[in-house]
Amino acid sequence: MTFDARDPGTDPRAWDALVARLPSTHTGDATHVVVVAPHPDDESLGAGGLLASLARRSVRVDVVVVTDGAASHPGAPGDLADVRAQEVRDAVALLCPRATLTLLGMPDGGTSDRRSDVTRRLHDIVGDGARTLLVAPWRGDGHRDHRVVGEVCAEVAERTGARLWEYPVWMWHWATPDSPSLPTAAMRAYPLRDREVVLKARAIRTHASQVFDADGPPVLHGRFLTAFDRDVEVFIETPRRTPAAGDRPEPEDSTMPSGYFEELHGRKADPWGFATRWYEERKRAVTLSALPERDLGRVLEIGCSVGVLTEQLAARATAVVATDVSATALERCRARLEDAGLADRLALVDTSDGALPDGPFDTVVLSEVGYYLGHAELVDLVSSLPALLADGGTVLACHWRHPVQDYPLSGDDVQDVVDRHLGLPELVRHVEEDFTLTVHARDSRSVARREGLV
């Protein structure tokens, strides 16, 4: 068994007959696809076509790269991890631009020592596996990182009920079609369109540190790469298991106390720089442009702070009900809208008791507040929002993605709860390094369709 792609290995054409007779497969009812790669480039080699096929579909896509790939060139300069991280960013952006890419940054070759960390992170990303397809390296691929990551993914699928597909990479190199260790009966072919084949080939070339000559032969030479130049991708399917109750413990319920926010607003006039930072101004512009209707109707803003976003919502609304747990924040919000001449559209509600105002609302905005709640309370909040919506109502969620030690949840945790528990069609998904934003609505028509343009 060899893991050096510079060795000739098995002639890729030897696999043609086996691949041609494999039954086809499809993603079925999956609304969430998680592609896990042991190293930067495995996502393109094993599932690049699948990712390209998901780019135009209404499916949430996560790509998780476990190691930094820095051991691919013994004696390589110290910046190889940074180079490979940028390569995988470029590859995923090419294949599926709206996918969320997570780089775990584990040491290349060190997955055995970090197994529990990888398991925990993947649990968090997979979430409720009922309609999740988890795409992972084949456990039998031979390479240690592939084996360990594949075993972790199989465990996560087992415990969450996610459907599991495993992709081979090194199998094509060291095995032959008649190798007794191959799970031939479980192999399936995922058909690719011409565009997806082309995008996959381009994505593989994006990993330039691996496929082009540097100081010696490339890590992945042309003969080896021929095995991935097909109009199908091959996956090994594992039957789905329904998870037992309690398999995946939820995060602790540790909602931050309302006094935290009252103290914060008491010390600073604008604690987060909403009125002064370009980052906040730009994010508000993205938020406001993502809302599909010019007239926002009756708006519920959960967590208004000093009212900078509230003012701009009110300019497009007939009424805004703004809530907060800080009395000081509510008074500053009131003063801002009075100065703007919009106070007649504003109602303020102190929600320190946890109760939301009565609907119906045409627009609900949950911006930069969900990660202050414990998991159970956030699930309750998100699950309650559809009952507050008017016919055709819209919910927007927007949250900072970088970790903050004080907060019970991350922005990605909040987005995961929204995706799992809101239960409304998705109109917009905007993800960048700093924040994630989604819009869900009872009316699933695009803006152009709402205006009769198509």
Side-chain angles (χ1 to χ4, degrees):
M1 186 177 291
T2 176
F3 307 113
D4 187 345
R6 290 165 292 192
D7 290 340
T10 300
D11 183 347
R13 294 172 297 182
W15 294 98
D16 289 350
L18 172 63
V19 171
R21 65 174 182 266
L22 293 178
S24 62
T25 190
H26 55 83
T27 59
D29 64 351
T31 58
H32 184 199
V33 177
V34 181
V35 175
V36 183
H39 313 94
D41 72 9
D42 290 319
E43 81 297 325
S44 299
L45 293 168
L50 170 64
L51 285 169
S53 75
L54 297 173
R56 298 184 180 181
R57 292 168 51 187
S58 181
V59 177
R60 178 183 166 202
V61 182
D62 279 284
V63 179
V64 183
V65 181
V66 175
T67 76
D68 59 15
S72 66
H73 295 66
D79 63 352
L80 181 58
D82 293 334
V83 169
R84 299 201 68 184
Q86 189 57 53
E87 288 173 349
V88 74
R89 290 189 191 102
D90 293 342
V92 172
L94 178 65
L95 292 167
C96 189
R98 61 184 183 78
T100 299
L101 174 63
T102 301
L103 305 179
L104 299 188
M106 305 294 179
D108 191 355
T111 52
S112 292
D113 297 333
R114 304 297 182 92
R115 188 178 188 122
S116 61
D117 291 338
V118 177
T119 302
R120 177 180 55 82
R121 294 294 299 275
L122 287 179
H123 265 303
D124 291 341
I125 291 168
V126 171
D128 181 356
R131 298 183 68 183
T132 298
L133 173 62
L134 179 56
V135 182
W138 177 42
R139 286 165 282 177
D141 219 26
H143 190 289
R144 182 174 60 180
D145 283 338
H146 288 230
R147 175 182 58 78
V148 172
V149 173
E151 288 172 353
V152 167
C153 289
E155 177 186 339
V156 171
E158 174 85 2
R159 296 180 64 184
T160 62
R163 186 178 173 194
L164 180 64
W165 286 5
E166 300 176 72
Y167 58 82
V169 173
W170 291 104
M171 179 196 81
W172 307 112
H173 189 58
W174 59 257
T176 60
D178 57 358
S179 295
S181 60
L182 297 190
T184 309
M187 288 183 178
R188 299 292 184 269
Y190 182 79
L192 303 178
R193 297 173 179 168
D194 289 346
R195 177 179 181 277
E196 294 151 8
V197 173
V198 171
L199 284 174
K200 176 174 180 171
R202 289 176 57 193
I204 291 172
R205 291 197 301 273
T206 298
H207 295 278
S209 67
Q210 309 301 299
V211 302
F212 296 119
D213 292 346
D215 296 330
V219 175
L220 306 178
H221 63 64
R223 176 183 166 99
F224 175 78
L225 293 177
T226 301
F228 304 93
D229 184 18
R230 300 182 183 276
D231 61 359
V232 299
E233 283 180 331
V234 175
F235 297 100
I236 298 150
E237 293 195 357
T238 299
R240 184 199 301 266
R241 185 187 79 91
T242 302
D247 270 356
R248 181 179 185 270
E250 299 289 4
E252 292 184 6
D253 193 356
S254 52
T255 295
M256 298 182 73
S258 59
Y260 171 92
F261 302 97
E262 180 63 18
E263 180 184 354
L264 196 61
H265 284 94
R267 286 189 286 109
K268 295 182 179 180
D270 183 6
W272 292 280
F274 291 141
T276 57
R277 288 177 174 155
W278 164 242
Y279 167 79
E280 295 292 345
E281 181 180 345
R282 173 184 174 269
K283 185 186 63 180
R284 281 194 301 278
V286 175
T287 297
L288 292 159
S289 65
L291 290 165
E293 296 290 344
R294 178 185 288 127
D295 181 358
L296 301 181
R298 186 171 185 245
V299 176
L300 172 62
E301 183 189 10
I302 301 172
C304 64
S305 186
V306 297
V308 182
L309 177 59
T310 317
E311 177 184 345
Q312 293 184 285
L313 291 170
R316 286 171 55 183
T318 55
V320 176
V321 179
T323 78
D324 209 284
V325 298
S326 165
T328 301
L330 291 171
E331 284 307 310
R332 290 189 184 144
C333 180
R334 184 193 305 279
R336 175 175 290 276
L337 268 71
E338 285 176 349
D339 290 344
L342 295 168
D344 60 331
R345 303 185 186 185
L346 177 67
L348 296 171
V349 177
D350 186 328
T351 52
S352 54
D353 63 357
L356 290 177
D358 293 333
F361 295 99
D362 301 290
T363 305
V364 174
V365 175
L366 183 71
S367 181
E368 307 294 6
V369 68
Y371 37 60
Y372 299 129
L373 304 178
H375 186 269
E377 187 169 350
L378 179 62
V379 169
D380 288 344
L381 170 64
V382 170
S383 300
S384 72
L385 296 182
L388 298 177
L389 285 183
D391 292 341
T394 297
V395 177
L396 180 143
C398 179
H399 290 87
W400 173 257
R401 298 187 67 209
H402 299 285
V404 180
Q405 185 173 2
D406 288 346
Y407 299 171
L409 302 174
S410 70
D412 287 344
D413 291 334
V414 177
Q415 189 59 61
D416 180 63
V417 170
V418 171
D419 291 339
R420 292 167 56 190
H421 297 282
L422 186 59
L424 295 173
E426 180 184 293
L427 296 184
V428 176
R429 179 172 293 269
H430 176 91
V431 180
E432 53 185 80
E433 181 180 356
D434 298 326
F435 68 93
T436 174
L437 180 151
T438 56
V439 176
H440 298 255
R442 292 195 189 283
D443 183 350
S444 61
R445 294 176 299 162
S446 70
V447 175
R449 291 190 184 281
R450 293 179 189 215
E451 294 212 326
L453 301 178
V454 292

